[in-house]
Amino acid sequence: MDVIEGPIREPDAPLRMPITHIFKDMGTVVMGKIESGSIREGVSLIIMPNKAHVKVTDIYTDGEMENKVTYADQGENIRVRLSGIDDEDILPGFVLSSISKPVTAVNEFNVQLQILELLENAIFTAGYKAILHIHSIVEECEIVDLLQQIDPQTRIPMMKPPLFVKSGAVVLCRIRVNNLICVEKFSDFPQLGRFTLRKEGKTVAVGKIIDLSSVA
């Protein structure tokens, strides 16, 4: 235990707190885990993707409204009471973030996928649809284009874009969702850049976001 390194905490990093629950309690209260940065009572923040400016009035830790604090750091699960917004204007998957460097909101992005096991008779190609699960977001998505297949032995991208891939393949592709969602490149914020694709209750692929576009 003595040689295990703890997670690196950067309180001055841009705030990223995906919202998991919203409710009313003497105002609007949101719940979530701080994935990056920190929150301090009285600070002004922004909720994405609806670009709502809010102010933190109270912070509670450990899921209990009795445990009131003035500061919370990366890795903590907290409840935050906000002013300047109604609970009906927030949805699970929205992200509380820094005003100076807000989380990215997109509806298309490039990913690297590891295909696990497709459903019987399914073909993974452009037009394939699945359910995207990323942090607290659950959203229907569509594969827009297959960009490159990666050789499983050498890990080097093949030159010719594939028309389709099978179970076990590693592929670079482009994904589109219907609504703007808050995500980040895996290299910048791993917790907001890794995801799974599920279909009919089964995980068919895991992946990471490598590039963003259609920024709001």
Side-chain angles (χ1 to χ4, degrees):
M1 292 294 291
D2 293 336
V3 299
I4 297 176
E5 295 185 5
I8 298 174
R9 296 192 174 186
E10 300 179 71
D12 296 328
L15 174 66
R16 299 289 186 268
M17 191 188 103
I19 294 169
T20 58
H21 297 85
I22 310 101
F23 60 94
K24 268 189 176 298
D25 184 355
M26 295 185 294
T28 299
V29 178
V30 298
M31 296 176 59
K33 179 181 178 182
I34 302 176
E35 299 291 4
S36 171
S38 59
I39 292 181
R40 191 177 299 276
E41 187 179 291
V43 72
S44 294
L45 300 170
I46 188 170
I47 294 180
M48 296 290 287
N50 61 350
K51 300 181 180 180
H53 288 254
V54 297
K55 185 174 182 179
V56 174
T57 59
D58 298 290
I59 305 170
Y60 305 89
T61 62
D62 300 325
E64 298 293 337
M65 300 302 280
E66 292 80 14
N67 298 327
K68 190 175 185 296
V69 296
T70 59
Y71 174 86
D73 202 355
Q74 179 181 338
E76 294 189 66
N77 290 287
I78 61 173
R79 299 186 183 196
V80 183
R81 183 174 287 115
L82 303 171
S83 64
I85 193 168
D86 191 81
D87 62 303
E88 295 178 353
D89 297 322
I90 310 174
L91 295 172
F94 283 17
V95 176
L96 195 59
S97 62
S98 308
I99 293 176
S100 60
K101 191 174 181 182
V103 64
T104 309
V106 299
N107 59 16
E108 285 193 20
F109 42 92
N110 292 351
V111 306
Q112 177 179 311
L113 275 183
Q114 168 74 60
I115 309 298
L116 300 179
E117 185 177 359
L118 299 172
L119 299 178
E120 188 176 357
N121 299 321
I123 299 175
F124 194 91
T125 185
Y128 184 90
K129 294 183 179 181
I131 303 299
L132 173 75
H133 292 255
I134 183 166
H135 60 86
S136 53
I137 294 171
V138 179
E139 185 86 12
E140 184 175 352
C141 70
E142 180 179 350
I143 304 302
V144 178
D145 195 15
L146 301 187
L147 304 174
Q148 285 182 309
Q149 187 170 357
I150 298 176
D151 188 303
Q153 302 299 324
T154 64
R155 311 302 294 180
I156 297 174
M158 302 177 186
M159 295 298 294
K160 188 177 180 180
L163 294 177
F164 65 93
V165 293
K166 300 179 180 179
S167 297
V170 178
V171 61
L172 304 181
C173 59
R174 189 167 183 80
I175 287 180
R176 177 188 296 146
V177 293
N178 294 327
N179 303 302
L180 286 175
I181 60 173
C182 296
V183 296
E184 296 281 8
K185 290 195 297 184
F186 179 83
S187 57
D188 294 335
F189 295 91
Q191 299 88 339
L192 278 73
R194 65 169 68 95
F195 64 91
T196 62
L197 294 184
R198 294 178 59 82
K199 194 154 187 171
E200 297 181 16
K202 179 180 180 180
T203 300
V204 297
V206 295
K208 60 183 180 181
I209 297 175
I210 58 175
D211 192 31
L212 299 169
S213 60
S214 302
V215 178

